[in-house]
Amino acid sequence: MTPVTAVPAPLQRRSLGKSVAAVVAAVALSVVSAVGGGYAALELRPAATASDTVISAQNSSSQSGSANLANVAQAVLPSVVSINTGSAVGSGVIITQDGAILTNNHVVATARGTTVQISFSDGKSAQAQIVGTDETSDLAVVKIVGGGSYTPLAFADSSAVHVGDTVLAVGSPLGLEASVTSGIVSALNRTIDEGADNRSAATKIPGAIQTDAAINPGNSGGALVNTSGQLIGINTAIATSGSTAGSIGVGFAISSNTAKTVAQQLLG
């Protein structure tokens, strides 16, 4: 059994965390690091050799890949918000044009009325109220008060996700709003057990996506997206090792198919 914890609030708000255990039948948890390429300066020569051509092609591919991820990040950021309830800090994903936001139940479990404060990637802020919560799936929906038009994030079909797919995790780790990390899908169909605390009952979440993209306290409720900028999961838990409370490269997200179904039920 590998200990994991629901991603708690940052710094002084660490009380949001839960005790969690990963249930992995006959399979050991593993981490596969994403590999980034760097730019290699080439000496000018009269004619390129075969090796020069290969190096140039690799550099071009590396830059193209980085540019693509940068474009994805810029497209996704307006749809991911920071959530502050006064006693907890997390993240959320805008899923409707009129301002419905999907997040973790454990992020808003202590919120009351319109005590949910939303911060956008452009620095603007708003109030939101809770629409519905579901402890069983550890998901919740809040909605921005006062109307307006917002940019929703499209759901991807999480059953089409493959181990090794490149992903971005977007949220507010340690309160650092609009943060983006990259990695890959490390494994699929994990089951995580979130232990009970004084805010919610014990929760077992099946079908979770494991990723090595850095997920830290404050990322709860944020987005795990594919390279098309579509939502494949809601970041919700991290594995911990000894006294290390931050990312060790083993994070978990509730699959987008589960999240979409629950969100539709909560929205009615």
Side-chain angles (χ1 to χ4, degrees):
M1 298 283 284
T2 299
V4 298
T5 59
V7 186
L11 304 177
Q12 72 273 20
R13 305 190 187 282
R14 292 184 55 79
S15 60
L16 184 60
K18 301 176 184 177
S19 174
V20 187
V23 178
V24 185
V27 180
L29 290 178
S30 62
V31 176
V32 180
S33 298
V35 178
Y39 180 83
L42 296 180
E43 180 184 353
L44 293 177
R45 298 174 184 172
T49 64
S51 60
D52 291 334
T53 303
V54 170
I55 292 172
S56 296
Q58 289 174 341
N59 290 336
S60 176
S61 174
S62 251
Q63 292 178 8
S64 175
S66 297
N68 179 58
L69 291 182
N71 290 337
V72 172
Q74 291 306 308
V76 169
L77 279 169
S79 301
V80 181
V81 301
S82 177
I83 296 177
N84 190 331
T85 67
S87 58
V89 176
S91 306
V93 180
I94 299 173
I95 57 172
T96 67
Q97 191 172 5
D98 61 354
I101 296 170
L102 182 61
T103 187
N104 282 134
N105 177 65
H106 71 261
V107 171
V108 297
T110 59
R112 297 291 182 271
T114 56
T115 60
V116 181
Q117 302 295 315
I118 304 298
S119 298
F120 301 92
S121 61
D122 62 2
K124 296 179 180 178
S125 60
Q127 286 186 317
Q129 61 184 9
I130 297 175
V131 173
T133 62
D134 181 36
E135 289 187 356
T136 302
S137 62
D138 194 17
L139 291 168
V141 172
V142 302
K143 191 171 184 180
I144 297 170
V145 176
S149 180
Y150 305 92
T151 305
L153 197 59
F155 284 87
D157 178 3
S158 55
S159 69
V161 173
H162 298 93
V163 172
D165 284 351
T166 298
V167 292
L168 296 179
V170 187
S172 301
L174 304 178
L176 299 171
E177 300 173 4
S179 294
V180 181
T181 58
S182 66
I184 66 168
V185 172
S186 300
L188 298 169
N189 297 317
R190 297 301 197 199
T191 297
I192 55 176
D193 285 337
E194 295 188 3
D197 63 11
N198 61 350
R199 294 178 177 83
S200 57
T203 302
K204 176 176 285 187
I205 302 173
I209 297 170
Q210 181 185 329
T211 180
D212 71 338
I215 296 173
N216 285 286
N219 271 121
S220 273
L224 188 68
V225 301
N226 59 23
T227 53
S228 295
Q230 299 170 321
L231 185 71
I232 66 167
I234 296 295
N235 299 320
T236 190
I238 56 175
T240 58
S241 177
S243 60
T244 303
S247 173
I248 59 171
V250 185
F252 302 92
I254 299 169
S255 71
S256 58
N257 286 1
T258 296
K260 183 177 182 180
T261 298
V262 174
Q264 289 173 335
Q265 294 171 347
L266 294 177
L267 285 169

